[in-house]
Amino acid sequence: MTVHNNEISEKFSRFADLIEIQGGNPFRARAYREASRVIGDTSEQVDQMVKEGRNLTELKGIGGDLAGKIKEIVETGHLQLLDEMENEIPASLLELMNIPDLGPKRIAMMHRELGIDSMEDLKKALEDGKISSLKGFGKKTEQKIFTSISRPKKETGKRFLYVDAAPSALACKQYLEKRADTNKVDIAGSFRRGKETVGDLDILVTCRNGSEKDIMDAFVSFDEVVHVYEKGDTKSSVLLRNELQVDIRIVSDDSYGAAMHYFTGSKAHNIAVRKLAVRKKYKINEYGVFEGSRQIAGKTEKEVYEAVGLSYIEPELRENLGEIEASREKRLPRLIEEKDIRGDLHMHTTRTDGRNTLHEMAVAAKELGYEYIAVTEHSQKVAMAGGLNEKDLREYLTYIDAANDEIDGITILKGIEVDILQDGTLDLPDSVLRELDIVIGSVHYHQRFPARQQTDRIIRAMDNPYLQILGHPTGRLLNKRDAMEIDLEKIIRAAKEKNVVIELNSQPDRLDLPHNYCKFAADLGVKIVISTDAHSKEGFRFMKNGIREARRGWLEKEDVVNTRSLGSMRELVKR
Ligand code: DGT
Ligand code: CA
Ligand code: CA
Ligand code: ZN
């Protein structure tokens, strides 16, 4: 397990904050803050130092006690004292840390002098003008705090990874579902379309008996809600603790399908559907499909589609990328499902940067019902992750043989994720690649070449007859790093010609191959492998993300090699 310096640094800085909020020893807080800075700045990889047993007090400002704490973080991923303190201090008080003009010292003072424990308390104290009476605050600061907490945060434009929004979506849904006065509760919007990132959640609810107002009252007082932008009887908009915005609407049962359709979007899809309705002289909106003033559809989505001459379209396809035409012409794809998957061909174990052993991974995959996996460690170039050279790899292959003998009911294939070097050659000699079952080639370094050079580099790598799968083809990291500048269509056409399979990497911040290129590839007849790139057995669960992206990319079971039995999958990835 790699623990980055900034993770250690952040833990120490957080710890210093909490000491200050609790009004603890200021020297202790300062020592942690200083340590946080030192570790953030050092060019040494601190976790490496720990692993090599080096003396951490070599680092300026790090004494024996801090060295012990660093060791604890590197070895366990946690700082127990910090975890304890996080639990001790009320969450509502910690939340005040998100307000721009409030640092831990100020929060401590407000808490001590005015008993402020939450956003509510703070608002009240501001209204009563009590904040400016505190030492070191003043009228100006009071005003600044007031504006920053009254300003809605929704303009920040921050998008959440699907997986980061999912727990909130589930929590809101369950909270509403368990009420006796709600009937249907569903999440619409980009979340339902399975988009890689979501801007906000859109929840639709129908009322069973009782009043809409009660449901709204209950929702805005949900524990996770920290700010209410707007509250009405049938529509409200709130901000959750994690800064995710939620729009909620209560609709009638008769309009439920129309509302689900409208609020699922996408906007482009809605506009295209509306055009069809207009052609038939119908009106369509979130309440239903109307002929004059008579509602002719709206209870279910299927009804809505049928009213305009279409068959039901799966949410993942609703981007106006051809699904309307395909629906009309009855040639919608039969989208792949998670249960179609029979194995996983990209994963790492403790031999490089994974957290579970080969044995643990194989057993976990078998429990998922998989028929085969391929272990694909990094190659030597990826030194940070402990990548394997030829000798290491050969040794590891015998280890895989032994594991295969030991574990029944699943086949462990010998693989590698070999680095594509800057000139397009591969990081390991053909003599060893030849002995493997699965060779993934991936770019990890030099991602900023100009488009021509980068495209040529990747196509050159695919010229190597042992490369079977092109790994995470664009290199994008959602919200973090843009895709490489490449001519991806050219690369996919080259894959077609050379019979290379393209990976759809299921890591929630990768989802790489992006959906529109999945469709492009499948239309050309290029095969896709949906892989998790799991770094632990828990990582297998990311398959869901890949499936979602594949569905957005119109993929069917037949387009994806790891829906096949072992024999026919191997036939497909063979060059
Ligand atoms: P997001 O939240 O940015 O990830 O994306 P969406 O698609 O969830 O967008 P959002 O939350 O603004 O609106 C939810 C759905 O409501 C959207 O997908 C389609 C529908 N919608 C919103 N505004 C309009 C509009 O002006 N016209 C039409 N036809 N539909 C709209
Ligand atoms: Ca939305
Ligand atoms: Ca919305
Ligand atoms: Zn990789």
Side-chain angles (χ1 to χ4, degrees), residues 238-294:
V238 304
L239 188 71
L240 302 183
R241 194 183 300 285
N242 61 359
E243 303 215 334
L244 181 59
Q245 188 187 318
V246 182
D247 295 340
I248 175 171
R249 293 173 185 84
I250 304 182
V251 303
S252 76
D253 277 308
D254 288 340
S255 294
Y256 196 67
M260 277 299 277
H261 180 258
Y262 184 90
F263 292 109
T264 296
S266 67
K267 198 168 157 180
H269 172 90
N270 288 355
I271 291 170
V273 171
R274 185 179 310 133
K275 269 196 195 136
L276 294 180
V278 169
R279 224 180 283 164
K280 291 183 182 286
K281 305 244 177 332
Y282 297 155
K283 198 178 85 187
I284 185 170
N285 56 30
E286 63 267 49
Y287 301 105
V289 185
F290 298 87
E291 186 171 24
S293 60
R294 188 174 66 94

Side-chain angles (χ1 to χ4, degrees), residues 342 344 347-349 356-375 396 399-400 402-413 534 536-540:
R342 295 198 185 182
D344 195 341
M347 70 196 59
H348 301 271
T349 75
N356 285 109
T357 60
L358 166 59
H359 196 280
E360 290 164 342
M361 294 297 272
V363 169
K366 182 176 147 182
E367 278 166 12
L368 288 174
Y370 286 167
E371 294 166 26
Y372 50 86
I373 55 172
V375 226
Y396 197 53
Y399 186 63
I400 297 178
N404 265 320
D405 288 342
E406 206 177 310
I407 306 167
D408 284 335
I410 187 160
T411 303
I412 309 167
L413 298 170
S536 68
K537 56 188 187 191
E538 290 77 28
F540 285 136

